[in-house]
């Protein structure tokens, strides 16, 4: 029997900010109010992430320029990691740097090989203001780094270089993200 509610079950699905929206390229502000509005934002982030079939979502991806993200992401051993982080700080990104396929809900249908470390540690707070530290490896480490980038105003396309960058730019020009 389920002990707690499903994350996002009480949230509402919000429209996604797409590549080209200025909110995606500006650093997000620190959260200072840990009240009911923050709890609603986290619920909305989960609802939106699940509706879009993602594994992570940052607040600026739904137009809210605050340092918050949610995740429901497996690591390379298929262990599920589920949670949220308020005011996250990437404190460790180390290990082997691997190029792997990366996509983004703000660049729907696109993917490019992006280099990320296979280990990451993010520290921050829960929606209740309790300190939290999240340690990730493999695909989950990629997710943590990706979401922290969002909150700093960076999308994965900004990290791609050379031929991969030119291919991605062509795909972006051809993409039809009209709603």
């Amino acid at each position: 029997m389920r002990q707690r509610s499903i994350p996002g079950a009480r949230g509402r699905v919000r429209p996604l900010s797409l590549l080209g929206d200025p909110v995606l390229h500006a650093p997000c502000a620190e959260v200072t109010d840990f009240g009911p509005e923050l709890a609603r934002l986290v619920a909305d982030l989960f609802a939106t992430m699940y509706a879009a079939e993602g594994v992570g979502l940052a607040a600026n991806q739904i137009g809210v320029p605050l340092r918050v993200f949610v995740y429901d992401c497996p690591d390379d051993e298929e262990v599920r990691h589920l949670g949220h982080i308020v005011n996250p700080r990437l404190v460790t990104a180390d290990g082997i740097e691997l190029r792997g396929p990366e996509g983004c809900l703000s660049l729907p249908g696109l993917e490019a090989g992006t280099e990320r470390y296979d280990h990451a540690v993010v520290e921050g707070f829960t929606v209740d203001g309790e300190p939290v530290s999240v340690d990730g490896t493999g695909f989950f480490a990629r997710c943590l780094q990706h979401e922290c980038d969002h909150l700093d105003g960076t999308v994965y396309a900004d990290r791609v270089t050379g031929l991969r960058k030119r291919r991605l730019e062509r795909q972006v020009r051809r993409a039809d993200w009209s709603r």
Side-chain angles (χ1 to χ4, degrees), residues 106-141:
S106 292
L107 289 82
L110 304 183
E111 186 178 276
T114 308
E115 293 182 1
R116 299 281 187 184
Y117 288 100
D118 71 343
H119 176 246
V121 177
V122 176
E123 293 177 351
F125 299 90
T126 68
V127 73
D128 299 316
E130 296 296 319
V132 64
S133 180
V134 179
D135 193 315
T137 59
F139 185 66
F140 182 48

Side-chain angles (χ1 to χ4, degrees), residues 14-138:
R14 297 201 200 177
L16 289 167
S17 300
L18 300 177
L19 186 66
D21 189 323
V23 74
L24 295 175
H25 289 288
C28 293
E30 294 279 321
V31 171
T32 57
D33 182 3
F34 285 77
E37 280 188 41
L38 179 60
R40 277 191 297 279
L41 172 61
V42 169
D44 291 354
L45 283 166
F46 273 114
T48 305
M49 176 184 72
Y50 289 137
E53 299 181 5
V55 296
L57 188 67
N60 60 343
Q61 290 183 271
I62 61 169
V64 179
L66 291 175
R67 295 189 66 78
V68 181
F69 71 80
V70 299
Y71 55 88
D72 188 346
C73 183
D75 59 24
D76 288 354
E77 275 72 51
E78 295 300 319
V79 173
R80 179 184 185 196
H81 299 271
L82 172 68
H84 68 277
I85 304 178
V86 179
N87 295 335
R89 208 167 39 91
L90 182 64
V91 295
T92 303
D94 63 6
I96 301 169
E97 193 172 20
L98 299 169
R99 180 181 303 152
E102 196 160 322
C104 180
L105 297 176
S106 292
L107 289 82
L110 304 183
E111 186 178 276
T114 308
E115 293 182 1
R116 299 281 187 184
Y117 288 100
D118 71 343
H119 176 246
V121 177
V122 176
E123 293 177 351
F125 299 90
T126 68
V127 73
D128 299 316
E130 296 296 319
V132 64
S133 180
V134 179
D135 193 315
T137 59

